[in-house]
Amino acid sequence: MNAISKNLVISTIHTGLTVSSLDTAIEFWCGVMGFELFARKNLGPGPINENIVGVVGADLEIAVVVAPGGHQIELLEYKGPGDRAIYKPRSCDVGSAHLTFPVSDLDEIPARVEAAGWMRVGVPQTVPTGARVIYVRGPEGHTIEFMQLATA
């Protein structure tokens, strides 16, 4: 692997998640996770969106929610094309991804997200750094890792 002499990536702007219902997703991310709704916009169909996302017939509406600490999640609901599918990969499946959020109480957060239809994929574990960790998966296959950092 060649060393990169110039760092072209400046920072992270947002993480995008495709959802089946923008209203349901906003309710989860803002109501359960405590994020703030920053923006919501109907982008509609057209060649610009088709060329950005690489999908003919792309017709979408987006919302941006902001986490405590500032990370943005862009939620995308595609109205078209009509042949959309929901994939629910396991953590080991190539193409699977997860988001990690530090939490203050790892015993409380899984129950909170379970009440919103998400499920634990295991039980909390303490890793060698002393942090406690658990994965949860949403009804549409999105995976979140919650991590309670070790105290000194």
Side-chain angles (χ1 to χ4, degrees), residues 106-130:
L106 194 70
D107 296 317
E108 182 182 333
I109 192 73
R112 186 181 293 183
V113 299
E114 283 177 322
W118 289 57
M119 64 177 211
R120 301 171 199 227
V121 298
V123 295
Q125 298 294 304
T126 302
V127 297
T129 63

Side-chain angles (χ1 to χ4, degrees), residues 49-138:
N49 290 331
E50 288 181 357
N51 283 301
I52 290 171
V53 302
V55 177
V56 174
D59 177 2
L60 61 150
E61 182 178 357
I62 65 166
V64 177
V65 296
V66 182
H71 187 72
Q72 296 183 4
I73 305 289
E74 180 185 53
L75 304 166
L76 304 97
E77 179 184 345
Y78 283 78
K79 309 292 185 174
D83 63 344
R84 297 174 316 280
I86 296 176
Y87 293 104
K88 297 183 179 183
R90 299 169 300 161
S91 300
C92 63
D93 294 331
V94 175
S96 174
H98 72 272
L99 297 167
T100 303
F101 297 108
V103 296
S104 60
D105 188 341
L106 194 70
D107 296 317
E108 182 182 333
I109 192 73
R112 186 181 293 183
V113 299
E114 283 177 322
W118 289 57
M119 64 177 211
R120 301 171 199 227
V121 298
V123 295
Q125 298 294 304
T126 302
V127 297
T129 63
R132 294 181 62 227
V133 178
I134 189 170
Y135 270 29
V136 298
R137 185 160 298 123

Side-chain angles (χ1 to χ4, degrees), residues 5-92:
S5 61
K6 181 179 180 184
N7 189 359
L8 299 176
V9 175
I10 299 166
S11 68
T12 301
I13 294 175
H14 68 258
T15 301
L17 300 174
T18 300
V19 300
S20 62
S21 165
L22 212 50
D23 291 332
T24 301
I26 291 168
E27 183 178 312
F28 173 77
W29 288 96
C30 294
V32 176
M33 294 287 288
F35 287 39
E36 290 188 29
L37 179 62
F38 176 72
R40 183 171 181 165
K41 184 175 183 178
N42 186 349
L43 301 179
I48 292 175
N49 290 331
E50 288 181 357
N51 283 301
I52 290 171
V53 302
V55 177
V56 174
D59 177 2
L60 61 150
E61 182 178 357
I62 65 166
V64 177
V65 296
V66 182
H71 187 72
Q72 296 183 4
I73 305 289
E74 180 185 53
L75 304 166
L76 304 97
E77 179 184 345
Y78 283 78
K79 309 292 185 174
D83 63 344
R84 297 174 316 280
I86 296 176
Y87 293 104
K88 297 183 179 183
R90 299 169 300 161
S91 300
C92 63

